[in-house]
Structures are given as C-alpha cells and as structure tokens.
Amino acid sequence: MTDQFNNQNGYGQPGQPIPPAQGYQQPGYQHSYTQPVVDAQNPRKTSSGRTFGTAFAGAALACVIAFGGFTVYQNVTGTPSGGNVTLGASTNTEIQAQSTDDTLPEAVAQKCLPSVAAIDVYTAQASTDMFGRSTSSSGTLTESSLGSGVVLSEDGYIITNNHVVAGADALKVTVGGEEYDADVVGTDESSDIAVIKLRNASGLTPVEIGDSDNLTIGEWVMSIGSPFGLEQSVATGIVSATSRSQIMSNSESSGSDGYGYGYGGSSSQSSGYTIYPNMIQTDAAINPGNSGGALVDSNGKLIGINTLITSYSGNYSGVGFAIPVNYAVNIAQQIIEGKTPTHAQLGVSLSTVNSQNAKRYGLKVDSGAYISAVNSGSGAAEAGLEEGDIVTKFDGNSVSSASDLMLDVRSKNPGDKVTLEVNRNGETKQIEVTLGSDESSQSAATQQNSSSSSSEMLNRLLNNSGSSSKNDAA
C-alpha cells in the first residue's frame, strides 16, 4: 500500500501527511523552540509537565481506546451512553459583516470560540529500573499531550480525534472558561474520530453544523483550536481543495516528528489503518495542538475537524486537512448512541498491480487492485466478483492501486450501489455491487484471516515484485 498522498487525480503531495498533534509536548533540551509566553492573567499552559496524584477525579478511569471501548462511559458513571441527544446548535444564525477583511473574522470568532475546547491528556508515569526497563506505574499522572475538541451538545458531548485521546488515563477539558473532568465515550480508530463527555456539564454552546458536501474551492474558512497549548486561537484561510484522501498505518502515525513533538497515537492503537476519505485541504494554520479542533465557514458553521498536516518540520507549512463534518458527525452520532461505528465494505482482500508484477506474472493490465480473496456472504461475493479479478474503475473513476479502491469504498455508505470495472482473464466486465458493512469484522486484519492459501501464495509473489507488502482489505 502506498504511503503517498492519494486522490482520484493521482496527485502526489510532497511530504507525508501527519497528525499534527497528539499532542504538543514540551520540547526536549536539544530543540531551540522557546515556550510561548502567555497572558500573565491566564497562566495556563505555560508548561505541559504538570503532575498530580491519583486523588484527581477521574484518575482511576482507564479509558479504553479501541473498538470495544464504547461502553466505558456507561460502565464507569452509570449514565446511559446515547439516548436522544441533539448534536449541534438547535438554531442557525447568519453572520452579517461589512467586509471579509474587516469584521468577518471577529464575528466568526465571537460566535465559534465558546464551542471549541482545549483537551489536556494525562497518562500514568511508569517506573523504570537501572536498565531503563518499565517496572510499574508510579501512581502519578502527568500531562503528556493536548489537543482540541468541538462541543456538540449542551450537556458536554465533544468530538475530537482518536489520536488526541489514544492512551489517555485521564482528561481535563477547558471550554467556555471552565475546566471539567471528562471521560471517553467511544472511539473509531479507523476514521480517527472520538467522542468524549464532560462530567457535570450543562448550558454549553454547541457548534452550528454546516454541510461539507457543498464547499467551494477558494471559500473563506477559519481554524480554531489550541496550537502549542495556546487555547482559543484562530487562523483564517481558504478551502484549498476538496476530496483529498489518505491512508495511514497506525504504526506510521505514531511517534515523534524529530523536534520533540509527539504527533500520533500511542501503544494502545492497533496495527491497522486509519482511512481519511475526501478530506478538506486548507491553508488556514493547523499546528500541534489543533487536532480535533474546528474548521468553520464564514457563517461560523462547522465544516470539518482539523486532523492532518503535510510538513517537513512537523509544524504549519500551509497545507492542512480536516475530516468533513458530514462524515465525522455521522460517526460521532453512532458512538453516542452506543453503536459500533460502521463503514462501507466491499468484502475483498486486495493487492496492488503495477507494471513490474503485471509483466512478471502475465497479468492482463498493469495497474489496478487485484482481488486475492472474496469474503463469503459479502457484497462482492453476491455480485459475483472472483479471486483474480483486477478492479480498474470504481463508478467511472480509475483505480490504480489497492489504496485507491479502499478509499473509494470508504467514501460510500453501507447499502450504496456502485459499479466496478474489472479485468477477468483479459476480458473487461461491468459489475454492480451493493456495499456491505464492516461491523462484523471492524478491521482489515480480520478480513485478511479469511484469505485462502492459494491467494496468499499469489499475494506473496506479487508483493515480492514491488507491490504492497500487505494484503489490504476493502
């Protein structure tokens, strides 16, 4: 599977997109960055090394960051997760500004800032022996990273990125000038969406939710969050592009950018993939700490959740990405209702076909997604797709790799009908498929286990000649 930036036009963006922020972390001594000076009347965030004992409310909660973690909030607090929760503001208001250059940023900021939260992530510190090996927890929680979130309901449901809260042992959230303890309601690692719930919150200001399906390239936007811990920060820009898609393995999205800032998940994340379909590209500044924050339009309506950047330094370089709000809120709604978030699934295992392995193994086309296994009972099986088929188009759009097909499928909803163009032994066929749901499998790894020994052998041959080193699933 390619690590390059993908879209339907084959655009290759320099640099690897990375989550900008699980957090901002205090730079190590080797880094020349100087901690930002904050207002003396509001000294929060002057250091991310604060510690406190387990007497802190919520310290005993070990947040489960996994597909099975949706019942954590209910089990710990005794409060049902879900119910009839209205997400977003119940009323819509239009912003009237004299000019974009004059009062529009002020009006949008005034409207939206009460709906954006700063999330402080605390983890238990492990004791080590003289050889640096972990022995046990010290019983102390230390602020390890931070991010941002967006208020979805008056009683404290907040959407953020999974990579912001992954591995958290406790959360502190600041919104509307007040600080709250918070619990993880649930996460969807494969789409990088998480929902947290503030304890004892009421009367918050939910964001107004916009429509990410009707964006215009060049339209004005504002990013809101806590870059480098400087909460309630705004930056303006435009929609640079839409329909930018990216697949990242969770091992690629964890670690450090080389400058002392962690930017990706934690050891609690699986070895699967995070799939970002149809993201919004913007030049509004997104930096470490902005992850999970808001991208809003000129009416102050939420159109995206800030998530990734492309950068050689790990910091803002003018190319950032937000998960479209229509997609993100759909996942959040499922989490709040106590459901397992579901995504469209074709029901196949895939390998990438390229000119090298096509020539070596006598394949009839030199690009596409090779079907190495078809899951029994899936939409692919019911439509008549077979092992050995090579998918070359998806609803009329060219498919040049397994990643392309995975992204195409994820951009749809369970139950959607799509038309695949496949090459079967040199003959081109049009096959209509009704996409299923990944609820039962939840990860590519589960699907890979269904591969037959013959498909594994062919996949290994293909991989040895330069295609993807994994048997991807869609």
Side-chain angles (χ1 to χ4, degrees), residues 310-357:
T310 291
S311 174
Y312 292 109
S313 68
N315 297 328
Y316 172 71
S317 62
V319 182
F321 305 94
I323 299 172
V325 68
N326 293 8
Y327 179 80
V329 170
N330 177 47
I331 297 295
Q333 182 73 64
Q334 294 179 63
I335 291 173
I336 291 170
E337 292 175 355
K339 300 176 182 177
T340 299
T342 58
H343 318 92
Q345 181 184 66
L346 183 59
V348 296
S349 295
L350 303 168
S351 291
T352 293
V353 174
N354 58 33
S355 57
Q356 281 184 303
N357 55 43

Side-chain angles (χ1 to χ4, degrees), residues 100-125:
T100 299
D101 296 330
D102 185 16
T103 63
L104 180 60
E106 299 171 66
V108 172
Q110 183 179 17
K111 178 179 179 177
C112 297
L113 281 171
S115 303
V116 179
I119 302 173
D120 293 291
V121 179
Y122 291 84
T123 53
Q125 298 302 295

Side-chain angles (χ1 to χ4, degrees), residues 232-312:
Q232 298 281 280
S233 295
V234 303
T236 62
I238 62 171
V239 173
S240 302
T242 58
S243 300
R244 301 299 201 200
S245 299
Q246 173 71 19
I247 297 178
M248 298 179 67
S249 72
N250 292 331
S251 60
E252 290 167 347
S253 63
S254 61
S256 171
D257 62 9
Y259 287 83
Y261 306 110
Y263 59 73
S266 70
S267 58
S268 67
Q269 289 185 293
S270 76
S271 58
Y273 299 114
T274 301
I275 300 176
Y276 300 98
N278 299 325
M279 286 191 297
I280 304 163
Q281 181 183 332
T282 181
D283 66 350
I286 299 175
N287 275 300
N290 274 119
S291 273
L295 187 71
V296 300
D297 64 13
S298 58
N299 277 311
K301 296 182 180 181
L302 184 69
I303 58 170
I305 301 298
N306 297 325
T307 300
L308 295 175
I309 58 176
T310 291
S311 174
Y312 292 109

Side-chain angles (χ1 to χ4, degrees), residues 89-299:
S90 57
T91 59
N92 291 316
T93 59
E94 299 294 320
I95 289 178
Q96 301 296 328
Q98 294 178 355
S99 72
T100 299
D101 296 330
D102 185 16
T103 63
L104 180 60
E106 299 171 66
V108 172
Q110 183 179 17
K111 178 179 179 177
C112 297
L113 281 171
S115 303
V116 179
I119 302 173
D120 293 291
V121 179
Y122 291 84
T123 53
Q125 298 302 295
S127 300
T128 57
D129 60 20
M130 61 181 296
F131 300 105
R133 296 174 298 192
S134 178
T135 56
S136 63
S137 173
S138 64
T140 300
L141 294 176
T142 299
E143 185 180 20
S144 56
S145 62
L146 59 85
S148 304
V150 183
V151 178
L152 292 181
S153 69
E154 293 184 0
D155 61 346
Y157 282 104
I158 289 178
I159 187 172
T160 185
N161 286 138
N162 175 67
H163 76 257
V164 170
V165 299
D169 292 310
L171 299 172
K172 281 276 194 180
V173 178
T174 303
V175 60
E178 299 292 331
E179 190 172 64
Y180 300 85
D181 300 335
D183 303 303
V184 174
V185 179
T187 67
D188 181 31
E189 184 178 328
S190 74
S191 62
D192 201 11
I193 293 295
V195 175
I196 63 176
K197 178 69 165 61
L198 307 188
R199 298 181 184 179
N200 303 316
S202 62
L204 301 183
T205 304
V207 71
E208 288 185 17
I209 296 176
D211 184 358
S212 54
D213 289 341
N214 294 306
L215 299 179
T216 302
I217 294 175
E219 75 172 88
W220 186 94
V221 292
M222 174 181 284
S223 65
I224 310 175
S226 303
F228 301 104
L230 301 173
E231 60 190 56
Q232 298 281 280
S233 295
V234 303
T236 62
I238 62 171
V239 173
S240 302
T242 58
S243 300
R244 301 299 201 200
S245 299
Q246 173 71 19
I247 297 178
M248 298 179 67
S249 72
N250 292 331
S251 60
E252 290 167 347
S253 63
S254 61
S256 171
D257 62 9
Y259 287 83
Y261 306 110
Y263 59 73
S266 70
S267 58
S268 67
Q269 289 185 293
S270 76
S271 58
Y273 299 114
T274 301
I275 300 176
Y276 300 98
N278 299 325
M279 286 191 297
I280 304 163
Q281 181 183 332
T282 181
D283 66 350
I286 299 175
N287 275 300
N290 274 119
S291 273
L295 187 71
V296 300
D297 64 13
S298 58
N299 277 311

